[in-house]
Every structure is written in C-alpha cells, then in structure tokens.
Amino acid sequence: MLKSLFNWKVLLNILLAIVVFVGLVWLTFRWLDFHTNHGKEIEVPNVINMSAQKAIEVLDNAGVAYQLDSLKFDPKFKPSQVLKVDPLPGSRVKDGRPIKVYINPKTWAKVVIPEVIDTYKYRAFDKLTLVGLKVGDTLYEPSIAKDAVIRLMYNGAQVKPGDFVPRFSVIDVVVGQGPKRNVPVPNIVGRTLQEAKEIIKQNYFESGLFYDEYDQSVSDPSMIVFYQNPAAGSISDQGVQVDLWASKKTPAEMHAKINELDNIYRHNLIPQVDPGDTNFDDFDTPPPPRPVKPKPVEKPKTDAPKTVVPEKKEVTDKKTVTKTEQKPKSEEHKPADKPKEKKKVIIE
C-alpha cells in the first residue's frame, strides 16, 4: 500500500494541487491590491482657515475625495471658513477615500419659534429665551387681552409660531395694553350683522347674542340691526358684550319692537328735569324741605326768654321792672301759670 502512495502519478497530482492553490491565493491578493489601490496613497492637503470655495479647488486639484459638513456657528471665525479636516492635514489616505471638511456656517442654526400667542408676556419671554432667541422691544397695542402676546415681529415682518429663524435672532413682541375705560359704545343700528361684527371688533368690544324680532337666535349676516344693548353713545368699558337685534325689515318698521325693548333695557334711565320746574309729582319721593324756613323758627324758641324780655325791661320804667320781677316771686307756688305767661310774651 505504501508503494501505491509513493506512485509518481499520485505525487504529480499532489504537486499540481499545491501549485493551483498557491496561484489562486496570489491572484486573490493581486486583485485586492488593484481593487483597493493598495500602495497608492494621497497626502491630505492643508485647507484649514481657507474659504469653502478655495478649499474645494485645492482638494479637487489634489485628487482627494471629500465630504463637506458644517459645525455650529462660531462668530469668532468668518462664515464659510474651514475649521477642521479629518484626517488631519499631512496624513496619507488611499485614493478614493473621502475626507471630512468641517466649515463654519454663514449664520446660526435655525430654530423654531415656540407657541406664545395669547400667552402672558413674561411666560412668552421665557419660552423665547429657552429656544435661543432674544427678546427685543415690547410694543403695546389696544387689545382686550391685557399683557397677552398679540403677535411677533422679526426684522420688521410678522412671524408666526412654527416658523424658522436663525438662533439668537431678536424678536419684537407686541402685547395688548388692556381695555380702555369710559369709552362710547359705537352706533351699529342700520348695519348688517356682518358689518356690526367688524365694527364691534374694531372698537375692541365683544360680540354678544344676536336675536331677531321674535327674540330668536339668528346668524344671517345680511340681516339689519334695529336695536343694540348697550345703547349707542353710552359710556362703557372696552370688552363689554354688545347684544344685537336684527331683522329683514328696516329699523323704522320695527318701531313697536324698539319701544318694547326700551321698556326692558332703558326703563332705569333717569329723566332729565328742567331747573325751573318745581313740579315733583312725577317722582315717587317728595321734594326735600327748604332749609331756610325751619331754622329761624327754631332759634327764637331757645333764645326768647333771654333776649326779648331784657330789651323790654330797658325801655320800660323802673316801676314796670319791679313788677315783672315781683310777679315770678309771688307766683312761685304756681308753676303751672309761668309757662302760660312766657308763651304770651313770645307771641307778642
């Protein structure tokens, strides 16, 4: 059997198999070298601090593949300036392997404006600051919502929540200054409901309930307003609700309904009386008494025995004086007669 193993034919086959295996391995490595450009390396050029356009020209001339990437904006460097290269300049990379070039962007990365409309102003300021925005001027405009954000402005143009603006942008905030006090209610009678709503909104009042001539709720914008509450020209505060009555008819044709509504909503109005009119029969309470008449009547009651009697004593003779002095002494035992004589003297 050993003789059969050492047969020249067997040895020849083994030798051929080894040669084929070695040849396949050699061809495989040669193919890998060719496919991966093994041994062909390119030095990374130094493009740091160059502008992006200039760096691209240098990399293209060197035959280096590259990928551009932007870092966070750094105001210390110029916009579109190359800040970093990976691998570092001077390193050798295989042909075709891309290098990363990091560039300073032209401005800050954009952020989304948060939802701050109708939010209290100080809470809105905090939300804007948290996302990286700066609060600029605070502008006040007439509005019912006091200290609430009405709108946002950026570079003179209005922006809305959800819009993108550069980070650290200055946002101006428009805030409501609150309702005014003691302003006249606008006249809406004769206008359509659609026009009435716009007038109420423009004057910073609140649209209330809308009724027809039968006191039923209506919403037809073409109906004509024939009555409003509060009345036109009355003094009220902005933000007060204004109720309207509308009909397809003109206000002149709704005279009876207007009188009915006046009895309901205008019954407490105080009638104006002329200064010279002294007739107070229309009032429920009697007129106040004049203060001139009662005062002189009350004063002589207290001062009569002291002032009037001494004056008469000075004018009369001494005899009469003694008589007046003796009478009260003799009549001291009759206290009931004294008030009668005093009353007679007062009347005289």
Side-chain angles (χ1 to χ4, degrees), residues 217-273:
S217 178
V218 294
S219 59
D220 187 356
S222 63
M223 298 182 72
I224 300 174
V225 177
F226 66 86
Y227 194 85
Q228 68 178 82
N229 185 49
S234 60
I235 302 302
S236 183
D237 298 335
Q238 288 181 343
V240 172
Q241 177 177 302
V242 180
D243 298 331
L244 304 177
W245 281 259
S247 174
K248 292 291 185 180
K249 301 177 183 179
T250 61
E253 296 174 332
M254 303 303 299
H255 183 70
K257 183 63 178 178
I258 293 174
N259 291 335
E260 179 184 344
L261 294 173
D262 279 340
N263 292 330
I264 298 174
Y265 296 101
R266 310 282 192 266
H267 67 280
N268 57 348
L269 294 179
I270 301 175
Q272 296 181 355
V273 183

Side-chain angles (χ1 to χ4, degrees), residues 292-309:
V292 180
K293 292 181 179 181
K295 289 183 179 179
V297 175
E298 294 177 356
K299 287 181 179 179
K301 290 181 180 180
T302 57
D303 301 336
K306 294 181 180 180
T307 57
V308 178
V309 176

Side-chain angles (χ1 to χ4, degrees), residues 43-305:
E43 184 178 354
V44 178
N46 187 6
V47 294
I48 295 178
N49 296 330
M50 292 184 182
S51 64
Q53 184 177 1
K54 182 66 176 177
I56 290 173
E57 294 179 0
V58 173
L59 294 174
D60 288 340
N61 294 332
V64 179
Y66 55 86
Q67 293 178 351
L68 300 179
D69 195 0
S70 59
L71 294 172
K72 293 182 179 180
F73 178 72
D74 192 344
K76 297 179 182 179
F77 301 95
K78 297 179 180 180
S80 302
Q81 181 179 352
V82 178
L83 302 180
K84 182 181 177 182
V85 177
D86 187 22
L88 295 175
S91 302
R92 303 188 66 84
V93 295
K94 293 181 180 180
D95 187 14
R97 177 188 171 183
I99 64 174
K100 287 187 177 182
V101 181
Y102 296 95
I103 301 174
N104 189 34
K106 293 182 179 181
T107 182
W108 298 100
K110 292 186 176 182
V111 295
V112 182
I113 297 178
E115 181 61 52
V116 294
I117 302 299
D118 296 330
T119 306
Y120 184 59
K121 61 180 181 180
Y122 291 117
R123 183 173 178 82
F125 296 164
D126 293 339
K127 286 186 176 182
L128 293 173
T129 305
L130 286 175
V131 298
L133 299 175
K134 294 182 179 180
V135 179
D137 296 333
T138 303
L139 309 175
Y140 288 87
E141 288 188 359
S143 176
I144 299 174
K146 182 177 176 60
D147 293 333
V149 177
I150 301 175
R151 62 179 180 274
L152 304 174
M153 305 294 292
Y154 171 65
N155 289 339
Q158 182 177 353
V159 290
K160 299 178 180 179
D163 294 344
F164 287 89
V165 294
R167 189 180 179 86
F168 299 113
S169 297
V170 178
I171 304 296
D172 297 330
V173 182
V174 182
V175 181
Q177 65 182 8
K180 293 182 179 180
R181 303 289 183 179
N182 300 326
V183 295
V185 178
N187 186 8
I188 313 173
V189 175
R191 304 297 187 107
T192 61
L193 282 179
Q194 184 176 0
E195 293 174 345
K197 291 179 181 179
E198 295 177 358
I199 294 173
I200 291 173
K201 184 178 180 181
Q202 291 173 1
N203 289 271
Y204 304 103
F205 284 88
E206 190 72 20
S207 297
L209 303 176
F210 299 155
Y211 300 103
D212 60 5
E213 60 224 69
Y214 305 106
D215 296 330
Q216 299 294 326
S217 178
V218 294
S219 59
D220 187 356
S222 63
M223 298 182 72
I224 300 174
V225 177
F226 66 86
Y227 194 85
Q228 68 178 82
N229 185 49
S234 60
I235 302 302
S236 183
D237 298 335
Q238 288 181 343
V240 172
Q241 177 177 302
V242 180
D243 298 331
L244 304 177
W245 281 259
S247 174
K248 292 291 185 180
K249 301 177 183 179
T250 61
E253 296 174 332
M254 303 303 299
H255 183 70
K257 183 63 178 178
I258 293 174
N259 291 335
E260 179 184 344
L261 294 173
D262 279 340
N263 292 330
I264 298 174
Y265 296 101
R266 310 282 192 266
H267 67 280
N268 57 348
L269 294 179
I270 301 175
Q272 296 181 355
V273 183
D274 294 335
D277 188 5
T278 57
N279 185 10
F280 299 96
D281 296 335
D282 296 336
F283 293 89
D284 296 335
T285 58
R290 294 183 179 181
V292 180
K293 292 181 179 181
K295 289 183 179 179
V297 175
E298 294 177 356
K299 287 181 179 179
K301 290 181 180 180
T302 57
D303 301 336

